[in-house]
Amino acid sequence: KFNVFAEASGYFQNWAPKHGEVVKNEVNGINALNTMTTREKETDFVDEYSYNTGTTPNESQPSKSEKFFLPMSSVGLSLGVQFNFGKAE
């Protein structure tokens, strides 16, 4: 008629964005987003990237940056007591 239980669970995963975009940019309360180039507003995250100082970047294309991972993990513990009412068989 009386049960006690414990349960542990875990989820372990990482997440990496593929694309980033600036959606708000205010300077002294004034919207400055329209003064930014595509390169300044958008970033594509890639597996490998090396910066070449000899080339001029294309301002109408998103910038590139190396991919980074964010942890999206959790661990949980459940404890409980269960009461059974009725006929025990």
Side-chain angles (χ1 to χ4, degrees):
K1 291 190 176 197
F2 177 78
N3 293 321
V4 177
F5 67 91
E7 176 182 80
S9 62
Y11 301 98
F12 305 100
Q13 58 186 345
N14 291 321
W15 175 78
K18 292 181 181 179
H19 183 79
E21 184 174 353
V22 175
V23 295
K24 185 175 182 180
N25 182 20
E26 290 186 3
V27 178
N28 295 326
I30 299 170
N31 183 3
L33 194 61
N34 59 353
T35 63
M36 297 173 69
T37 64
T38 301
R39 179 174 167 74
E40 293 171 324
K41 289 189 282 188
E42 298 181 26
T43 303
D44 288 333
F45 297 103
V46 294
D47 290 330
E48 292 183 17
Y49 176 73
S50 62
Y51 181 73
N52 187 350
T53 58
T55 61
T56 303
N58 185 347
E59 296 298 324
S60 64
Q61 296 291 320
S63 63
K64 294 197 182 306
S65 185
E66 195 164 319
K67 186 186 297 184
F68 62 95
F69 290 90
L70 300 168
M72 305 279 292
S73 303
S74 66
V75 177
L77 178 64
S78 298
L79 303 172
V81 177
Q82 182 179 17
F83 296 98
N84 295 319
F85 297 100
K87 258 186 194 178
E89 296 184 28

